[in-house]
Amino acid sequence: MHALQSLLLLGLPMAIVGSPVIVKRAPTSPFGLYAYGDGIGGSPVFTTGDGAFIGNASQVDSTEAATVQFEVGTDDTLLGNPNTTATDSTPTWSNLTFNVPDATNSSHQVEFTNSTSVNDKSVTGFVFYGQFLLHKATDGDLKTLWYVLPTDTDGVWSLNWNSTGDESEGQVIVTLKATAPSADADTTE
């Protein structure tokens, strides 16, 4: 199964490059995003109000940690709000803008901010190819450069963008989909 997932992950960018037309079609709002990769079978994206992570938000010792419910905003932005049905607390953050670091940023961490204007980060250009989340660069190229790194908390990974220059141990290439895993799936195999 891992070999099949790897082939799918490697084949997706080629399918996108060879695709003549991408139809703008976003999932029905609100929706969650889930990471799929080697040993990761659909872990949800969550935040504590700034950095983006995947895994079980309840394992993080923070009342601000919550799975994110996304909505598509103007200029292909993604706005995130806490899924309060999936947490015991009510985080104070809301309506945060999802962003990826641009090529001039030395950080690789994907984040959430209170602004749609952020230096060294791209807050626009998030498009879907089916249920797969991609980023459309300013030159028009579609990219899927997601990867995760393990954190100090078991089963929780930091979500990152563009591993070029990142020599960190434990990198796992992932895809982000608006498709939740099946109810019996192990999200961290």
Side-chain angles (χ1 to χ4, degrees):
M1 183 66 178
H2 293 296
L4 179 59
Q5 286 176 335
S6 296
L7 286 174
L8 289 174
L9 291 174
L10 293 174
L12 180 64
M14 296 311 290
I16 293 166
V17 169
S19 178
V21 177
I22 299 291
V23 177
K24 242 185 195 180
R25 196 172 299 168
T28 305
S29 291
F31 58 91
L33 287 174
Y34 304 88
Y36 294 85
D38 190 17
I40 301 169
S43 292
V45 172
F46 76 90
T47 188
T48 55
D50 48 18
F53 302 91
I54 66 160
N56 187 343
S58 66
Q59 291 185 353
V60 176
D61 188 25
S62 172
T63 58
E64 295 296 311
T67 303
V68 180
Q69 286 186 316
F70 290 91
E71 293 186 24
V72 177
T74 57
D75 297 324
D76 297 321
T77 57
L78 289 180
L79 303 175
N81 287 292
N83 180 351
T84 55
T85 62
T87 183
D88 293 334
S89 60
T90 304
T92 59
W93 58 268
S94 65
N95 210 37
L96 297 180
T97 304
F98 188 69
N99 65 76
V100 295
D102 67 19
T104 64
N105 194 324
S106 62
S107 171
H108 296 273
Q109 173 88 42
V110 175
E111 297 179 343
F112 290 87
T113 62
N114 280 320
S115 174
T116 57
S117 175
V118 183
N119 291 333
D120 300 337
K121 295 179 177 127
S122 179
V123 297
T124 61
F126 294 101
V127 296
F128 285 86
Y129 183 78
Q131 295 293 305
F132 292 91
L133 179 64
L134 308 168
H135 183 260
K136 186 175 182 179
T138 55
D139 62 5
D141 287 347
L142 292 173
K143 298 181 181 189
T144 175
L145 301 174
W146 312 108
Y147 71 102
V148 295
L149 290 169
T151 66
D152 293 335
T153 305
D154 286 340
V156 174
W157 305 68
S158 65
L159 181 59
N160 296 276
W161 177 257
N162 191 1
S163 65
T164 303
D166 186 351
E167 303 296 326
S168 302
E169 293 284 323
Q171 294 181 20
V172 177
I173 295 170
V174 296
T175 57
L176 292 183
K177 293 177 64 178
T179 306
S182 63
D184 59 347
D186 183 3
T187 58
T188 53
E189 298 165 354

